[in-house]
Amino acid sequence: MDAPGGHRTTAKRARTAVPQPPDQRSALTTPAAPWSPAPAQAPEAAPAAVALDRVSRRFGDVLAVDDISLNVAAGSVLGIIGPSGSGKTTTIRMISGALNPDTGTVRVLGEDPRHFQRRTRERIGYMPQLFVLYPDLTARENLDMMAALFGIPPWRRGARVDEVLHLVELWDARNRRASAMSGGMQRRLELACALVHRPSFLILDEPTAGIDPMLRTKVWQELDRLRGEGVTILVTTQYVSEAEYCDSVALISEGQLVAHAPPDELRRRALGGEVIEVGTAAPFDVRALGPIENVVALRQTGPAQMIVVAEDAGLASPRVNDAVERAGGKVEFSREYRPNFDEVFTALVTVHAERNQPGAGAPAGSLPLAMRPR
């Protein structure tokens, strides 16, 4: 159904870890089964909740989305991450049916978004990037109206409205007009309106923009809970660190899909493998080390420090330690190196841009992130 201002309010769990506050994100459990290759005799997989096949969209001379193909598994969280103007919102609007692609096909819940059946549309919740609710209605009135539009009966509506008001921490502002709310409060009200009818597919365009870090964490905890109930969730964000909370991540830059994989796989691509930091008790020249089984590359990062890129860090670490000792050194420490997602995103986008330069051969950016000069 369409809400005022052109807002289309539309309507198994990959891991069990609940997102933690920002300083604990590195402890999140690695996503599991949904991305593992299916066994040869496995039954045919269910259709993807979202399938984009070579989709492009142009606005005049600007190619906003350039030949993107993307599948989203049902019951998973896909994060669409990229800088402002990268094509995230245009992609989301084509998935919601608000825009038509110039080329390619889009299928959502098995249907063309331009011709959703009413029952399909009612399964979808959509939070747009811009505020489009009724400014003269209170928070409670906006929510009650949206619940009524989706057919929630009056005897259930009040409890559900109260529930989502508490969820987005707007209970104390429930009787305040939307026009009198701050930008962050309006974003929370939009999110509440997208959730009020309990959708099975949720599209959120920058849901955490303009809200404080503590509430961002709470929003992601709620998204994790919804995923546990089988809800498929698409989230666009400029907060690259939020990739940690997603089952898979689509990196978009200048309208092109740079990469699509689980978070740990993106790290591996950016680094060129698994990376170990090694420190020695005294200055040590990495050139004293010969070839080491399972080691892809070595790099000196300080007089007594080196970075090791390996196919398997667990296998490589003792071999590197032994090699250092045979060369006359003594290992002081050996630990895994995990870049934050700002580094991962920068590395992947840089490599993608350099490879797309006319006449580019083997660009320096094609080196693993860990091996680049500083």
Side-chain angles (χ1 to χ4, degrees), residues 15 148 236 340:
R15 68 171 185 260
T236 72
N340 61 48

Side-chain angles (χ1 to χ4, degrees), residues 30-97:
T30 301
W35 309 278
S36 300
Q41 282 84 26
E44 185 177 348
V50 178
L52 277 64
D53 184 20
R54 308 204 65 175
V55 170
S56 296
R57 173 72 194 207
R58 183 181 293 274
F59 296 97
D61 295 333
V62 178
L63 185 57
V65 173
D66 184 5
D67 199 35
I68 285 181
S69 294
L70 184 68
N71 286 347
V72 183
S76 68
V77 177
L78 171 71
I80 302 179
I81 294 178
S84 179
S86 62
K88 302 187 307 295
T89 294
T90 301
T91 301
I92 285 289
R93 292 184 68 194
M94 288 190 288
I95 290 171
S96 72

Side-chain angles (χ1 to χ4, degrees), residues 7 126-139 142-143 165 168-170 173 176-194 205-212 215 219:
H7 171 204
Y126 177 40
M127 176 182 175
Q129 191 176 43
L130 301 177
F131 184 78
V132 292
L133 298 178
Y134 286 103
D136 292 332
L137 296 184
T138 65
N142 267 291
L143 277 167
L165 281 169
V168 299
E169 298 185 1
L170 285 179
R176 188 181 305 178
R177 289 186 178 183
S179 60
M181 291 180 170
S182 67
M185 294 173 74
Q186 289 178 344
R187 295 301 291 160
R188 287 144 59 188
L189 179 57
E190 291 264 45
L191 177 60
C193 287
D205 196 1
E206 304 280 2
T208 56
I211 62 177
D212 65 82
L215 186 55
V219 168

Side-chain angles (χ1 to χ4, degrees), residues 297-331:
L298 296 162
R299 174 186 165 204
Q300 192 97 39
T301 57
Q305 283 187 307
M306 71 183 79
I307 278 181
V308 180
V309 181
E311 297 172 5
D312 185 315
L315 293 175
S317 185
R319 293 170 181 165
V320 171
N321 293 350
D322 290 344
V324 170
E325 291 183 4
R326 286 196 303 269
K330 181 180 178 182
V331 174

Side-chain angles (χ1 to χ4, degrees), residues 12-15 75 222-231:
K12 277 185 169 200
R13 190 176 180 90
R15 68 171 185 260
E222 175 63 12
L223 297 184
D224 183 79
R225 186 190 67 79
L226 291 170
R227 173 181 50 193
E229 296 179 352
V231 178

